[in-house]
Amino acid sequence: MTPFRALITLAFAATAWALPQTGNEARTLTCLKWCPDNFPNLGLACIAQAALGKGPCYECGPKSTSTKKKLCNRKCIDTSADKNNCGACGKTLRRNRPSSVLTFSPAVVRAPKPAVIRAFHSGHPWPRQPAPTERTSQDTDLYQLALDLARTPTNGNVSIDYIVVSRDGAQTSQRRTKFDIAQEYGLSTRDLRTFDLQYGALTHFIIRERSILAHLFDLRLIIQADRMLCFPVKGVEDSVIARVFMHEVQNRFRAAAAATQPHQGMEEQPFELSVLEAALSAVTSSLEAEFLQIHSEATSALEKFDSRRDTPVHRDDFELHLLRDLLDITRRLAIVEKRARLTRDAVQDILNEDEDMAAMYLTDNKDGRPHPKHDHQQVEYMFEAFFKTNDTTVQDATSTKENIRRTEEAIRSILNVRRNQIMILEAKIEIAMLGMSLATLVAGWYGMNVVNFFEESTLAFAVLVLSSWLGIGVIWRYGLRRLRKIQGSRYVSWR
């Protein structure tokens, strides 16, 4: 205990001892002798409580009327109900040997044995896992998704629903296992392991001898020279990319059926390249449309912020609402940027492989006219066009995110300035209160019931009021000067 704290405690004890005693018990000096002998810091806290008729001196000291409580380690403890002080201080209760004065016995709690199950082909027990129905909804979803992911990559007997679209536009729905699909179309079950996943943030192309696998988010296709297989994703039947793709394919089929010359319709390019171009066009146009929509919202929000600075009338929650809208726009924009980047990278991977681009001419391969390694100009031009479009979307999304980030920093700076203004106002109020406390102090001194011969003067009231206002003014001026000095030093340090 510091000397200052001991002095305060001693003053409190003396003040409490000076109070009138309650009851018929006369004041005695017994506690003044007992407390310093049993407590540190001269027993000041004990003396202060004893002056009010309570505390250790009256619970387990010389003024105590109970024989059960004793002073153990500077605490009043009931030795008839404490196992660590059984009948006396420091005497511990031993098992099966309870103290004669104790009326309780410790209960022995034994943990239940966990249920176990036997591992497959081993004798080691495994702890039984709780059933999925006992978990929370979030844990149940995670548990089910983990099971799906664990089963999907290796289980070739999983049945998949898909739609077969022939060259003439006829559609048929089928359901077969992964193993059967892989055998029929010259694939491996490893190629199809992600086709039935609900997770849509995957983009890649796989080129085989008789088939092209295109996995573009929610659009999963197996393309051959005379037909294509479309695999719908569970839970995303209303996918914009899939709807745009089907609309584009149907338009191409109508144009091919109505064409009178080969170069006017779908026969202008092979069937597989036409379907692949429709898939890339659906993905690219959907991402571009979504970006334009978000960019329009971001531009509108930024214009509101720019017009806000020229408006003299301010609304307190404007910046908070605008900041919340910008954060939502930024999240959506980040998703579009990520999807466009994944599409661009998948297209770039194809452009880097001449063999894959030459192997995409499935119709010519089927007719016995395979393309050499460097004969892929049509495929290369098509993929380059989509690469540039997706790269432009990525760059525009990045630029828009940067503009939003700078605006968010400006909004946060405005909020910080307002917070600093509030802090300055609080400091001014505290300075004013400090000055008023001087007047209160003078009034307190003058109001004491002591003889000061000042109240007899006719000028006493005027002198006290004027001196109080003078003191308030001095403190107020000094506090404001110090506050301005602190603000000036901060400004210099920032520069």
Side-chain angles (χ1 to χ4, degrees), residues 268-463:
E268 182 180 0
Q269 61 182 354
F271 173 80
E272 63 275 7
L273 296 185
S274 181
V275 174
L276 190 59
E277 183 181 8
L280 288 172
S281 177
V283 174
T284 304
S285 60
S286 299
L287 293 176
E288 189 175 4
E290 188 175 0
F291 165 72
L292 292 177
Q293 183 180 9
I294 299 175
H295 182 267
S296 177
E297 297 178 6
T299 303
S300 177
L302 297 179
E303 289 177 354
K304 289 181 181 179
F305 177 72
D306 293 336
S307 62
R308 167 76 171 181
R309 294 182 300 180
D310 302 331
T311 304
V313 181
H314 296 283
R315 196 180 69 186
D316 295 337
D317 57 347
F318 176 81
E319 284 80 6
L320 294 178
H321 286 286
L322 181 59
L323 184 60
R324 188 182 301 110
D325 295 340
L326 290 178
L327 291 176
D328 179 67
I329 292 174
T330 303
R331 286 193 293 266
R332 294 163 54 196
L333 197 61
I335 295 175
V336 174
E337 179 190 6
K338 179 181 178 181
R339 292 166 73 93
R341 192 183 300 275
L342 291 174
T343 305
R344 183 196 64 180
D345 295 342
V347 172
Q348 188 177 14
D349 292 339
I350 296 297
L351 290 174
N352 295 334
E353 299 293 336
D354 294 335
E355 295 181 358
D356 289 342
M357 288 189 289
M360 286 187 177
Y361 294 92
L362 302 180
T363 302
D364 294 343
N365 294 338
K366 183 179 180 181
D367 296 338
R369 294 180 285 109
H371 284 235
K373 180 178 180 180
H374 300 287
D375 186 10
H376 48 69
Q377 287 78 13
Q378 189 177 8
V379 175
E380 185 174 2
Y381 293 155
M382 179 181 68
F383 274 82
E384 281 183 355
F386 290 109
F387 174 82
K388 293 178 181 179
T389 304
N390 286 278
D391 184 69
T392 301
T393 303
V394 172
Q395 300 301 328
D396 292 343
T398 304
S399 177
T400 305
K401 285 176 57 179
E402 185 64 23
N403 293 335
I404 294 176
R405 186 186 63 82
R406 288 194 292 266
T407 305
E408 290 177 351
E409 291 178 354
I411 294 175
R412 290 190 176 93
S413 299
I414 293 175
L415 296 177
N416 290 334
V417 170
R418 290 187 177 182
R419 188 182 299 111
N420 294 336
Q421 291 176 349
I422 295 174
M423 295 175 62
I424 293 174
L425 179 60
E426 292 179 352
K428 292 181 179 180
I429 294 175
E430 291 178 357
I431 293 173
M433 296 300 295
L434 180 61
M436 294 178 63
S437 65
L438 177 62
T440 306
L441 181 62
V442 174
W445 284 342
Y446 185 70
M448 288 184 177
N449 295 326
V450 295
V451 179
N452 51 28
F453 304 103
F454 191 59
E455 65 272 8
E456 299 178 358
S457 175
T458 58
L459 301 176
F461 180 77
V463 171

Side-chain angles (χ1 to χ4, degrees), residues 99-402:
S99 175
S100 58
V101 297
L102 292 178
T103 59
F104 63 90
S105 58
V108 179
V109 180
R110 297 180 180 178
K113 295 182 179 180
V116 297
I117 58 176
R118 294 295 174 179
F120 294 106
H121 306 291
S122 69
H124 300 285
W126 289 352
R128 186 179 299 276
Q129 300 294 332
T133 55
E134 300 176 0
R135 300 173 181 266
T136 61
S137 58
Q138 183 179 2
D139 293 339
T140 303
D141 296 340
L142 180 62
Y143 174 75
Q144 187 62 36
L145 180 59
L147 288 180
D148 294 340
L149 293 175
R151 181 191 65 246
T152 303
T154 57
N155 193 351
N157 293 326
V158 177
S159 298
I160 306 177
D161 296 325
Y162 59 94
I163 301 174
V164 180
V165 182
S166 60
R167 193 182 190 92
D168 55 359
Q171 300 182 11
T172 57
S173 299
Q174 298 183 8
R175 179 181 177 85
R176 304 182 67 180
T177 63
K178 287 185 178 181
F179 181 78
D180 295 337
I181 296 174
Q183 291 293 324
E184 182 176 355
Y185 295 99
L187 306 172
S188 64
T189 54
R190 183 182 303 174
D191 298 335
L192 302 175
R193 62 183 177 180
T194 60
F195 263 48
D196 56 342
L197 293 181
Q198 296 183 5
Y199 182 67
L202 295 175
T203 55
H204 62 267
F205 297 93
I206 300 178
I207 314 301
R208 299 305 180 199
E209 183 179 358
R210 295 186 291 115
S211 303
I212 299 175
L213 281 79
H215 191 160
L216 300 171
F217 305 116
D218 300 332
L219 189 62
R220 291 93 187 268
L221 303 173
I222 296 180
I223 308 172
Q224 288 195 319
D226 55 352
R227 55 184 171 176
M228 73 169 183
L229 279 66
C230 182
F231 295 81
V233 182
K234 295 181 180 180
V236 288
E237 289 79 2
D238 196 22
S239 173
V240 176
I241 297 177
R243 291 167 57 189
V244 174
F245 169 73
M246 295 304 297
H247 184 270
E248 183 70 17
V249 169
Q250 290 175 3
N251 289 339
R252 289 172 181 263
F253 284 152
R254 295 192 192 100
T260 57
Q261 297 181 2
H263 68 277
Q264 292 179 351
M266 197 170 177
E267 297 296 329
E268 182 180 0
Q269 61 182 354
F271 173 80
E272 63 275 7
L273 296 185
S274 181
V275 174
L276 190 59
E277 183 181 8
L280 288 172
S281 177
V283 174
T284 304
S285 60
S286 299
L287 293 176
E288 189 175 4
E290 188 175 0
F291 165 72
L292 292 177
Q293 183 180 9
I294 299 175
H295 182 267
S296 177
E297 297 178 6
T299 303
S300 177
L302 297 179
E303 289 177 354
K304 289 181 181 179
F305 177 72
D306 293 336
S307 62
R308 167 76 171 181
R309 294 182 300 180
D310 302 331
T311 304
V313 181
H314 296 283
R315 196 180 69 186
D316 295 337
D317 57 347
F318 176 81
E319 284 80 6
L320 294 178
H321 286 286
L322 181 59
L323 184 60
R324 188 182 301 110
D325 295 340
L326 290 178
L327 291 176
D328 179 67
I329 292 174
T330 303
R331 286 193 293 266
R332 294 163 54 196
L333 197 61
I335 295 175
V336 174
E337 179 190 6
K338 179 181 178 181
R339 292 166 73 93
R341 192 183 300 275
L342 291 174
T343 305
R344 183 196 64 180
D345 295 342
V347 172
Q348 188 177 14
D349 292 339
I350 296 297
L351 290 174
N352 295 334
E353 299 293 336
D354 294 335
E355 295 181 358
D356 289 342
M357 288 189 289
M360 286 187 177
Y361 294 92
L362 302 180
T363 302
D364 294 343
N365 294 338
K366 183 179 180 181
D367 296 338
R369 294 180 285 109
H371 284 235
K373 180 178 180 180
H374 300 287
D375 186 10
H376 48 69
Q377 287 78 13
Q378 189 177 8
V379 175
E380 185 174 2
Y381 293 155
M382 179 181 68
F383 274 82
E384 281 183 355
F386 290 109
F387 174 82
K388 293 178 181 179
T389 304
N390 286 278
D391 184 69
T392 301
T393 303
V394 172
Q395 300 301 328
D396 292 343
T398 304
S399 177
T400 305
K401 285 176 57 179
E402 185 64 23

Side-chain angles (χ1 to χ4, degrees), residues 37-68:
D37 296 338
N38 294 278
F39 292 93
N41 302 319
L42 303 178
L44 297 179
C46 175
I47 295 173
Q49 293 179 347
L52 300 176
K54 59 182 181 179
C57 185
Y58 283 84
E59 293 180 2
C60 56
K63 294 296 182 180
S64 175
T65 59
S66 174
T67 58
K68 295 182 179 181

